[in-house]
């Protein structure tokens, strides 16, 4: 079972005029990609780069569309995430509740680089308190070269919210980052890491597995369409075919850890 925990939907203006009419085309292209590369399931994450002229109202609609998308084919899309802006305040916290309790989404994702705030924005703490109460997941991007998404900022949140399970996205996006997150992983046991934007040279997957073990690494491709940003899912082929990992370790990283993650969080709605 191969599970990709990091696929995005919604860069195109699904929330500002097109409704969900583009959803079928997206799903066709996405499933073609997944079938071609043997990806059985994917978690769907909204894009924080989507047009949002009306702020929280747009984010609410985007979250509803993600819920509709995963409900269409839960055997291929077992989990969707919602999103809010760290400065959405109490209304954002209420939206987190709606995402999880009403829409059946399994957590909240933030890409602070696109939201224009640092990961450790003061508004994040009350939001993570709500995520913890709901036993939902917190997906946070830490892409290389974004000062707003510097991994130390995530460590501040992880330390302040030890009961929240964080999934750090794009941590292997540079040599420096890969070294950094391996050190952070040793200190913060409540962070798992995906392979999105895996740098193709000296990416240190083997070092991470040797030091941290096989339970905290998740396959993530960062697939997105349209436009489709790449043709082949490099992290999948690297881990499955080229790193000479044991079958057991490979199975953990490529799917079992993702399913364990879902089991550990609460499912609040049968739609999820
Ligand atoms: Zn992403």
């Amino acid at each position: 079972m191969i599970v990709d925990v990091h696929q995005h939907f919604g860069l195109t203006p699904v929330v500002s005029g097109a409704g969900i009419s583009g959803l079928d085309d997206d799903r066709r292209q996405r499933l073609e990609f997944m079938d071609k590369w043997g990806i059985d399931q994917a978690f769907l994450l909204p894009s924080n780069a989507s047009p949002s002229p009306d702020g929280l109202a747009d984010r609410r609609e985007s979250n509803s569309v993600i819920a509709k998308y995963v409900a269409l084919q839960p055997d291929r899309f077992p989990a969707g995430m919602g999103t809010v802006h760290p400065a959405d305040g109490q209304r954002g916290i209420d939206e987190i509740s709606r995402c999880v309790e009403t829409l059946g989404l399994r957590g909240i994702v933030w890409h602070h680089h696109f939201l224009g705030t640092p990961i450790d924005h003061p508004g994040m703490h009350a939001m993570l308190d709500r995520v913890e109460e709901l036993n939902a997941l917190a997906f946070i991007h830490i892409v290389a070269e974004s000062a707003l998404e510097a991994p130390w900022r995530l460590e501040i949140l992880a330390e302040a919210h030890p009961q929240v399970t964080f999934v750090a996205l794009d941590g292997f996006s540079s040599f420096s980052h890969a070294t950094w997150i391996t050190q952070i992983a040793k200190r913060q046991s409540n962070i798992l890491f995906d392979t999105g934007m895996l740098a193709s040279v000296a990416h240190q997957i083997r070092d991470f597995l040797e030091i941290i073990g096989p339970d905290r690494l998740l396959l993530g491709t960062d697939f997105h369409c349209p436009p489709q940003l790449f043709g082949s899912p490099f992290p999948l082929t690297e881990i499955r075919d080229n790193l000479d990992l044991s079958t057991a370790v490979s199975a953990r990283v490529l799917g079992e850890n993702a399913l364990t993650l879902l089991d550990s969080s609460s499912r609040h709605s049968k739609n999820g």
Side-chain angles (χ1 to χ4, degrees):
M1 174 69 86
I2 294 182
V3 183
D4 180 355
V5 304
H6 188 172
Q7 292 201 5
H8 284 289
F9 172 70
L11 181 61
T12 46
V14 289
V15 298
S16 54
I20 59 168
S21 59
L23 202 149
D24 285 343
D25 287 343
D26 181 285
R27 195 156 56 107
R28 201 171 304 118
Q29 187 173 347
R30 192 178 300 272
L31 288 171
E32 194 176 304
F33 169 83
M34 290 169 65
D35 291 342
K36 177 176 178 180
W37 295 100
I39 298 171
D40 299 295
Q41 297 187 329
F43 295 6
L44 277 190
L45 284 48
S47 168
N48 283 147
S50 297
S52 53
D54 291 321
L56 179 60
D58 288 331
R59 284 184 278 282
R60 282 173 58 86
E61 191 174 348
S62 170
N63 295 336
S64 296
V65 171
I66 289 280
K68 280 179 193 156
Y69 198 137
V70 298
L72 283 173
Q73 224 167 334
D75 58 321
R76 302 303 299 272
F77 304 107
M81 306 295 150
T83 193
V84 290
H85 191 288
D88 281 338
Q90 183 57 48
R91 288 168 59 199
I93 294 168
D94 293 345
E95 175 60 6
I96 291 173
S97 304
R98 188 185 78 96
C99 282
V100 176
E101 294 181 317
T102 305
L103 297 180
L105 300 175
R106 305 303 293 274
I108 303 298
V109 60
W110 286 273
H111 205 327
H112 295 83
H113 179 77
F114 288 112
L115 293 169
T117 75
I119 286 175
D120 53 333
H121 182 286
M124 289 295 291
H125 292 288
M127 292 182 166
L128 289 168
D129 286 343
R130 188 68 187 121
V131 165
E132 179 182 341
E133 287 163 6
L134 294 163
N135 192 27
L137 302 167
F139 282 62
I140 295 189
H141 290 76
I142 49 169
V143 69
E145 298 176 3
S146 172
L148 295 172
E149 296 187 348
W152 62 264
R153 297 183 187 278
L154 174 61
E155 188 167 17
I156 287 175
L157 296 185
E159 195 172 66
H161 301 272
Q163 300 306 317
V164 173
T165 299
F166 292 86
V167 178
L169 303 171
D170 301 336
F172 289 92
S173 44
S174 80
F175 176 79
S176 172
H177 256 49
T179 310
W180 201 348
I181 64 171
T182 304
Q183 293 301 312
I184 289 175
K186 282 196 252 180
R187 297 191 290 265
Q188 308 300 334
S189 61
N190 56 332
I191 312 178
L192 289 83
F193 297 84
D194 96 317
T195 60
M197 290 186 71
L198 181 66
S200 63
V201 179
H203 45 62
Q204 298 173 291
I205 290 287
R206 277 202 198 89
D207 284 355
F208 182 93
L209 290 170
E210 194 176 311
I211 295 167
I212 305 301
D215 295 337
R216 289 167 61 199
L217 187 64
L218 303 156
L219 174 71
T221 65
D222 203 14
F223 178 83
H224 183 280
C225 72
Q228 190 170 321
L229 301 176
F230 50 81
S232 73
F234 169 65
L236 170 58
T237 53
E238 185 74 348
I239 289 165
R240 184 183 60 193
D241 307 329
N242 298 316
L243 283 183
D244 296 325
L245 302 176
S246 74
T247 307
V249 167
S250 184
R252 297 275 263 283
V253 174
L254 294 179
E256 290 170 10
N257 289 342
L259 298 176
T260 301
L261 184 67
L262 282 190
D263 284 345
S264 72
S265 66
S266 297
R267 182 183 290 274
H268 288 260
S269 154
K270 62 185 177 187
N271 293 329

